[in-house]
Amino acid sequence: KAGVTQTPRYLIKTRGQQVTLSCSPISGHRSVSWYQQTPGQGLQFLFEYFSETQRNKGNFPGRFSGRQFSNSRSEMNVSTLELGDSALYLCASSLRSPNTEAFFGQGTRLTVV
Amino acid sequence: QQPVQSPQAVILREGEDAVINCSSSKALYSVHWYRQKHGEAPVFLMILLKGGEQKGHEKISASFNEKKQQSSLYLTASQLSYSGTYFCGTDHREGSGGSNYKLTFGKGTLLTVNP
């Protein structure tokens, strides 16, 4: 079966712009989590969605937001981009949470210049 | 609170063993282990649950000490394919409900296996 698909794979944006990243989970998976990965901080939790509801969020500013659609596809939006937002953004899907295996997508590499 | 992993990096020769530790300052409900190879997505290795249940599908073992709030991943007879960065993710929820579920990952342990 198809894995987790993230689009686009690479993105270059200018400071102050906004960006939307997309994640299509594995068919049948209802939970989607988003992570920011940087060399210094590792994987940092952004938020988790389950059945279109945000169930939890990490310690990121309000510029980071997300949503989930009825087909479980999820989008993440970052407004007013800063240089420090440059990172690999990963999404992970699972059948349900908690305590089930999560499958990660290849990520979207965002570079803010 | 981000869990602390140790060591930060380890270099092995094929066939040698390694232990990667993960400790938390808060009570743990479960610990998840993932491996990420360079340029690839993290891949699930194992989940260890409070109460002793383990879920995994690779030939890798782990332990979970609830009292010490620690988990250790044991890699025995390492193979070249074991190389990568290992992350532990900790879940601090109370109870078994789905709310307030948040996986917090450590900074990772870079494992290099040489021939």
Side-chain angles (χ1 to χ4, degrees):
Chain A
K1 59 183 176 183
V4 178
T5 303
Q6 290 189 245
T7 56
R9 289 291 310 278
Y10 302 92
L11 208 48
I12 300 176
K13 289 286 188 179
T14 305
R15 266 185 307 175
Q17 287 186 312
Q18 77 164 23
V19 66
T20 299
L21 312 182
S22 178
C23 173
S24 293
I26 291 172
S27 178
H29 285 195
R30 296 166 65 188
S31 170
V32 174
S33 297
W34 287 89
Y35 296 87
Q36 181 193 67
Q37 186 173 31
T38 56
Q41 294 300 320
L43 283 161
Q44 290 192 287
F45 175 80
L46 280 155
F47 25 67
E48 187 235 355
Y49 286 87
F50 186 85
S51 294
E52 302 178 66
T53 301
Q54 184 183 88
R55 296 206 298 185
N56 213 332
K57 63 179 298 187
N59 299 321
F60 279 81
R63 300 185 296 108
F64 292 81
S65 63
R67 58 178 175 168
Q68 186 180 34
F69 302 95
S70 59
N71 61 358
S72 293
R73 189 177 72 86
S74 178
E75 288 182 347
M76 190 192 98
N77 185 76
V78 188
S79 62
T80 320
L81 284 165
E82 300 177 0
L83 295 178
D85 296 335
S86 295
L88 179 67
Y89 290 88
L90 292 160
C91 86
S93 81
S94 58
L95 269 173
R96 63 188 187 283
S97 59
N99 302 319
T100 55
E101 177 179 357
F103 295 83
F104 281 83
Q106 293 286 89
T108 294
R109 172 74 63 185
L110 172 66
T111 303
V112 183
V113 297
Chain B
Q1 197 86 20
Q2 193 172 33
V4 177
Q5 288 186 234
S6 63
Q8 290 184 315
V10 59
I11 300 174
L12 302 174
R13 287 202 180 276
E14 217 174 346
E16 292 181 336
D17 301 338
V19 179
I20 299 172
N21 301 302
C22 175
S23 62
S24 173
S25 59
K26 294 172 63 175
L28 295 172
Y29 181 77
S30 67
V31 178
H32 304 222
W33 286 95
Y34 286 80
R35 177 173 62 210
Q36 185 178 29
K37 294 182 181 286
H38 184 69
E40 298 181 9
V43 172
F44 170 80
L45 294 176
M46 182 166 293
I47 293 174
L48 300 105
L49 302 175
K50 188 175 180 179
E53 185 181 355
Q54 295 187 23
K55 302 178 185 179
H57 57 73
E58 285 206 17
K59 295 180 181 178
I60 292 173
S61 63
S63 64
F64 181 15
N65 188 322
E66 294 169 30
K67 284 187 178 179
K68 291 187 177 181
Q69 296 162 188
Q70 292 176 347
S71 176
S72 295
L73 189 71
Y74 304 97
L75 304 161
T76 57
S78 59
Q79 305 169 16
L80 296 176
S81 62
Y82 286 9
S83 293
T85 300
Y86 289 76
F87 293 97
C88 72
T90 53
D91 171 19
H92 304 283
R93 268 176 312 116
E94 290 298 319
S96 58
S99 63
N100 298 320
Y101 171 71
K102 179 169 69 175
L103 206 56
T104 305
F105 284 95
K107 293 187 179 182
T109 294
L110 177 61
L111 179 76
T112 304
V113 181
N114 293 320

